[in-house]
Amino acid sequence: MKEFWNCFKNGIIGENPVLRLMIGLCSVLAVSVRLENCLYMGAAVIFVLTGSNMVISAIRNFVPNEVRIPIFIVVISTFTTIVDLVMKAYLPALSEALGVFIPLIVVNCIIMARAEAFASRKPVLLTMADSLGMGIGYTMVITIIGIIRELFGYGQFFYRQIFPSSYQGMMMMILPPGAFLLIGLCIAILNHFYRRNNL
Amino acid sequence: MTMKNTWKIALSLTVFCVIAAFSLAVVNSVTQKEIERRSQEDLKKALQKVAPFAQEFQKWETVPPVQTPTKDFSILEVYEALKEGKREGLVFRVSTTGYGGPIILLVGISEEGKLTGMEVLEHQETPGLGSNIESDSFLSQFLDKPLTDPFEVNKDIKAISGATISTRAIVRACQGLASYWEEIGKP
Amino acid sequence: MNAMDLFKIFISAAFVDNIILARYIGLCPYIGMSSNVANSLGMGMAVTFVMVLASVATWVLWNFIFVPLGLEYLQIMVFILVIAVLVQLLEAILKKTVPNLYQAMGIYLPLITTNCAILAVTFFGVDYHYNLIQVVIYSVGVALGFTIALLLLAGIREKLRFSKVPQFFQGSPIVFFSTCLLAIAFMGFKGLVK
């Protein structure tokens, strides 16, 4: 049980994929202009990450080592396509807003990295804990950035006006430069925290 | 040994690909219908919004070609807005070039040549500035204007501050439609 | 189709819609491979090579096989597999025929399979309904934009090594701040192509 918990926690704090390993950044920056987009993006990533890594872990003994990467890619792209098709059918507005970043989950480095480093070696349940941890770690970062960008960019929270309506909106937060600035700040603050506690 | 190994590799790859493709085919068969139904519904909703007077819409197959093309403006599709089987107006799906790329608009025009509504379907304008072309406060100033209006920025159309080019793109679409309207012999 | 339209596609792909600084795609290699200019040049070359080949290959497959057969839902899987196969082939061919080039960009090739910029360009090439010539021009443009962004950041990072960065911003934060400034500079290209 302890082991599961550690695997789970690892993705959220110890090796947070976005802030510590700095992978899977593209979608974090691209879709985080609205909080709603972030939550759905997080859900999509958690689904693909957990689903494909559990399958990879389950089939790990039947996969010849030479072709393991192509087979991983096939599994991951199957799950990504499922998410893409389901979103197009039942959440068309979101599918439009997230655009190419849903199909791009297939090359999200987090998933491939976890498949190689973890899922292809460990049993299914441990893999599930690890994937969920990583997925939630990703979702947390994207949510925090989404809240800040929506609040300062539009003066809103979940499309609800928070700042007085005379607030003009901070253009920079919605545009690419603001995204880069914000992720830099997040990493700096986290690094500072780690340095302080000598972690 | 190596020969056997090659077979094993090929076989496993094939098996996994077939399973993956099959499961996707199943998912696709379910979602495909839903996607088609939704896009039909969305189109109908948007058409209804720009031409509220109509009861049903029909794609106009025999659209007369444009004689004098306007720069950076093109007509993609035309729908006939029908009320009790009679044509009461037209809805144009048009493309015009804005700041960040093409803007796709749906414009409803009544039979007597008045704008009855306008919807932005797609655009890539700057968020926060040009993206305000979608806002009701901007689009509502076009409502009920006859096509004979001059459509000039800062005269009869108030520009979005900081997004003159996006405003001009919409205005250009109106001008283009007006000249086309005249061409096909509408008043 | 005239030369001016192609030029517009090229400029907007390389500068206005710069794949990294305006569309946030391909950030992993951008952050990972920009520590020095030589590395980033090698990476840029490898990406250019694979990007153009991949977009042509996927364009042909898409328009002549998948659309006629109604297999659009296999897009993601097929495109990523095409890129993976292409990278493997290229690696093998370069190793045998042009060892010099292989040494220059060989080590970057395996990293490219999961480079989102390449997959994204193959998607866009199909999405925008480009014809074959336009796809080639578009992918060359995107690759050039990618290489320029990579080189600019690498240049900055080489200089950064000699400057005193406050401890709070050391490491990757300062890289992102530099990227932020580059992104502001690239915003100046917006509205260039009309």
mmCIF file of all heavy atoms in Angstrom, chain C residues 129-148:
data_model
loop_
_atom_site.group_PDB
_atom_site.id
_atom_site.type_symbol
_atom_site.label_atom_id
_atom_site.label_comp_id
_atom_site.label_asym_id
_atom_site.label_seq_id
_atom_site.Cartn_x
_atom_site.Cartn_y
_atom_site.Cartn_z
ATOM 1 N N HIS C 129 -6.055 22.162 -46.105
ATOM 2 C CA HIS C 129 -6.365 21.807 -47.489
ATOM 3 C C HIS C 129 -5.352 22.370 -48.462
ATOM 4 O O HIS C 129 -5.712 22.911 -49.507
ATOM 5 C CB HIS C 129 -7.784 22.264 -47.870
ATOM 6 C CG HIS C 129 -8.829 21.644 -47.007
ATOM 7 N ND1 HIS C 129 -9.159 20.322 -47.064
ATOM 8 C CD2 HIS C 129 -9.584 22.167 -46.022
ATOM 9 C CE1 HIS C 129 -10.080 20.055 -46.169
ATOM 10 N NE2 HIS C 129 -10.353 21.150 -45.507
ATOM 11 N N TYR C 130 -4.091 22.277 -48.107
ATOM 12 C CA TYR C 130 -3.042 22.717 -49.019
ATOM 13 C C TYR C 130 -2.871 21.694 -50.139
ATOM 14 O O TYR C 130 -3.204 20.525 -49.981
ATOM 15 C CB TYR C 130 -1.714 22.832 -48.270
ATOM 16 C CG TYR C 130 -1.573 24.069 -47.421
ATOM 17 C CD1 TYR C 130 -0.775 24.059 -46.292
ATOM 18 C CD2 TYR C 130 -2.212 25.247 -47.776
ATOM 19 C CE1 TYR C 130 -0.627 25.198 -45.505
ATOM 20 C CE2 TYR C 130 -2.070 26.383 -47.010
ATOM 21 C CZ TYR C 130 -1.281 26.352 -45.879
ATOM 22 O OH TYR C 130 -1.129 27.470 -45.126
ATOM 23 N N ASN C 131 -2.323 22.163 -51.285
ATOM 24 C CA ASN C 131 -1.905 21.187 -52.294
ATOM 25 C C ASN C 131 -0.443 20.815 -52.034
ATOM 26 O O ASN C 131 0.185 21.348 -51.111
ATOM 27 C CB ASN C 131 -2.135 21.715 -53.715
ATOM 28 C CG ASN C 131 -1.324 22.964 -54.000
ATOM 29 O OD1 ASN C 131 -0.213 23.111 -53.498
ATOM 30 N ND2 ASN C 131 -1.866 23.858 -54.799
ATOM 31 N N LEU C 132 0.096 19.938 -52.856
ATOM 32 C CA LEU C 132 1.410 19.376 -52.536
ATOM 33 C C LEU C 132 2.506 20.444 -52.467
ATOM 34 O O LEU C 132 3.323 20.456 -51.545
ATOM 35 C CB LEU C 132 1.772 18.297 -53.556
ATOM 36 C CG LEU C 132 2.963 17.428 -53.165
ATOM 37 C CD1 LEU C 132 2.764 16.793 -51.813
ATOM 38 C CD2 LEU C 132 3.209 16.355 -54.195
ATOM 39 N N ILE C 133 2.488 21.374 -53.429
ATOM 40 C CA ILE C 133 3.521 22.420 -53.436
ATOM 41 C C ILE C 133 3.389 23.275 -52.185
ATOM 42 O O ILE C 133 4.373 23.586 -51.505
ATOM 43 C CB ILE C 133 3.386 23.310 -54.687
ATOM 44 C CG1 ILE C 133 3.436 22.457 -55.948
ATOM 45 C CG2 ILE C 133 4.507 24.353 -54.730
ATOM 46 C CD1 ILE C 133 2.997 23.170 -57.180
ATOM 47 N N GLN C 134 2.150 23.627 -51.856
ATOM 48 C CA GLN C 134 1.928 24.456 -50.668
ATOM 49 C C GLN C 134 2.390 23.745 -49.409
ATOM 50 O O GLN C 134 2.963 24.362 -48.516
ATOM 51 C CB GLN C 134 0.439 24.812 -50.557
ATOM 52 C CG GLN C 134 0.010 25.851 -51.562
ATOM 53 C CD GLN C 134 -1.494 25.988 -51.602
ATOM 54 O OE1 GLN C 134 -2.221 25.003 -51.582
ATOM 55 N NE2 GLN C 134 -1.976 27.213 -51.672
ATOM 56 N N VAL C 135 2.154 22.429 -49.352
ATOM 57 C CA VAL C 135 2.574 21.683 -48.165
ATOM 58 C C VAL C 135 4.091 21.730 -48.010
ATOM 59 O O VAL C 135 4.613 21.939 -46.914
ATOM 60 C CB VAL C 135 2.075 20.221 -48.252
ATOM 61 C CG1 VAL C 135 2.884 19.324 -47.343
ATOM 62 C CG2 VAL C 135 0.633 20.148 -47.858
ATOM 63 N N VAL C 136 4.791 21.568 -49.145
ATOM 64 C CA VAL C 136 6.261 21.606 -49.079
ATOM 65 C C VAL C 136 6.715 22.969 -48.578
ATOM 66 O O VAL C 136 7.514 23.075 -47.629
ATOM 67 C CB VAL C 136 6.873 21.299 -50.457
ATOM 68 C CG1 VAL C 136 8.375 21.508 -50.420
ATOM 69 C CG2 VAL C 136 6.544 19.883 -50.869
ATOM 70 N N ILE C 137 6.172 24.044 -49.194
ATOM 71 C CA ILE C 137 6.558 25.393 -48.794
ATOM 72 C C ILE C 137 6.224 25.634 -47.327
ATOM 73 O O ILE C 137 7.032 26.150 -46.550
ATOM 74 C CB ILE C 137 5.818 26.437 -49.659
ATOM 75 C CG1 ILE C 137 6.209 26.286 -51.125
ATOM 76 C CG2 ILE C 137 6.101 27.854 -49.172
ATOM 77 C CD1 ILE C 137 7.579 26.760 -51.464
ATOM 78 N N TYR C 138 5.029 25.192 -46.935
ATOM 79 C CA TYR C 138 4.591 25.400 -45.557
ATOM 80 C C TYR C 138 5.523 24.705 -44.579
ATOM 81 O O TYR C 138 5.971 25.297 -43.594
ATOM 82 C CB TYR C 138 3.156 24.881 -45.392
ATOM 83 C CG TYR C 138 2.632 24.964 -43.988
ATOM 84 C CD1 TYR C 138 2.320 26.194 -43.435
ATOM 85 C CD2 TYR C 138 2.489 23.831 -43.206
ATOM 86 C CE1 TYR C 138 1.855 26.284 -42.138
ATOM 87 C CE2 TYR C 138 2.026 23.912 -41.915
ATOM 88 C CZ TYR C 138 1.718 25.147 -41.385
ATOM 89 O OH TYR C 138 1.274 25.223 -40.100
ATOM 90 N N SER C 139 5.869 23.442 -44.871
ATOM 91 C CA SER C 139 6.687 22.715 -43.901
ATOM 92 C C SER C 139 8.102 23.283 -43.852
ATOM 93 O O SER C 139 8.706 23.341 -42.778
ATOM 94 C CB SER C 139 6.698 21.221 -44.197
ATOM 95 O OG SER C 139 7.074 20.991 -45.516
ATOM 96 N N VAL C 140 8.619 23.727 -45.003
ATOM 97 C CA VAL C 140 9.937 24.362 -44.974
ATOM 98 C C VAL C 140 9.873 25.629 -44.124
ATOM 99 O O VAL C 140 10.757 25.897 -43.302
ATOM 100 C CB VAL C 140 10.422 24.700 -46.408
ATOM 101 C CG1 VAL C 140 11.701 25.523 -46.356
ATOM 102 C CG2 VAL C 140 10.664 23.440 -47.197
ATOM 103 N N GLY C 141 8.796 26.381 -44.285
ATOM 104 C CA GLY C 141 8.634 27.607 -43.504
ATOM 105 C C GLY C 141 8.592 27.332 -42.017
ATOM 106 O O GLY C 141 9.305 27.967 -41.234
ATOM 107 N N VAL C 142 7.774 26.363 -41.623
ATOM 108 C CA VAL C 142 7.662 26.046 -40.194
ATOM 109 C C VAL C 142 9.015 25.600 -39.652
ATOM 110 O O VAL C 142 9.442 26.025 -38.573
ATOM 111 C CB VAL C 142 6.603 24.951 -39.956
ATOM 112 C CG1 VAL C 142 6.633 24.498 -38.512
ATOM 113 C CG2 VAL C 142 5.236 25.461 -40.298
ATOM 114 N N ALA C 143 9.697 24.739 -40.417
ATOM 115 C CA ALA C 143 10.987 24.233 -39.949
ATOM 116 C C ALA C 143 11.978 25.372 -39.793
ATOM 117 O O ALA C 143 12.753 25.420 -38.824
ATOM 118 C CB ALA C 143 11.526 23.194 -40.931
ATOM 119 N N LEU C 144 11.953 26.324 -40.734
ATOM 120 C CA LEU C 144 12.851 27.473 -40.627
ATOM 121 C C LEU C 144 12.517 28.281 -39.373
ATOM 122 O O LEU C 144 13.418 28.670 -38.610
ATOM 123 C CB LEU C 144 12.718 28.356 -41.873
ATOM 124 C CG LEU C 144 13.655 29.553 -41.880
ATOM 125 C CD1 LEU C 144 15.057 29.117 -42.221
ATOM 126 C CD2 LEU C 144 13.178 30.625 -42.838
ATOM 127 N N GLY C 145 11.224 28.491 -39.143
ATOM 128 C CA GLY C 145 10.818 29.223 -37.944
ATOM 129 C C GLY C 145 11.284 28.522 -36.681
ATOM 130 O O GLY C 145 11.783 29.153 -35.753
ATOM 131 N N PHE C 146 11.157 27.202 -36.669
ATOM 132 C CA PHE C 146 11.592 26.400 -35.521
ATOM 133 C C PHE C 146 13.097 26.589 -35.302
ATOM 134 O O PHE C 146 13.544 26.868 -34.189
ATOM 135 C CB PHE C 146 11.279 24.926 -35.812
ATOM 136 C CG PHE C 146 11.693 23.979 -34.727
ATOM 137 C CD1 PHE C 146 10.857 23.710 -33.671
ATOM 138 C CD2 PHE C 146 12.921 23.334 -34.782
ATOM 139 C CE1 PHE C 146 11.238 22.829 -32.668
ATOM 140 C CE2 PHE C 146 13.314 22.460 -33.792
ATOM 141 C CZ PHE C 146 12.470 22.205 -32.732
ATOM 142 N N THR C 147 13.861 26.457 -36.400
ATOM 143 C CA THR C 147 15.316 26.568 -36.283
ATOM 144 C C THR C 147 15.726 27.954 -35.815
ATOM 145 O O THR C 147 16.611 28.097 -34.955
ATOM 146 C CB THR C 147 15.969 26.257 -37.644
ATOM 147 O OG1 THR C 147 15.360 25.090 -38.165
ATOM 148 C CG2 THR C 147 17.450 26.032 -37.485
ATOM 149 N N ILE C 148 15.063 28.992 -36.361
ATOM 150 C CA ILE C 148 15.416 30.351 -35.961
ATOM 151 C C ILE C 148 15.161 30.555 -34.476
ATOM 152 O O ILE C 148 16.018 31.045 -33.741
ATOM 153 C CB ILE C 148 14.605 31.379 -36.783
ATOM 154 C CG1 ILE C 148 15.112 31.397 -38.216
ATOM 155 C CG2 ILE C 148 14.720 32.767 -36.169
ATOM 156 C CD1 ILE C 148 14.330 32.296 -39.124
#
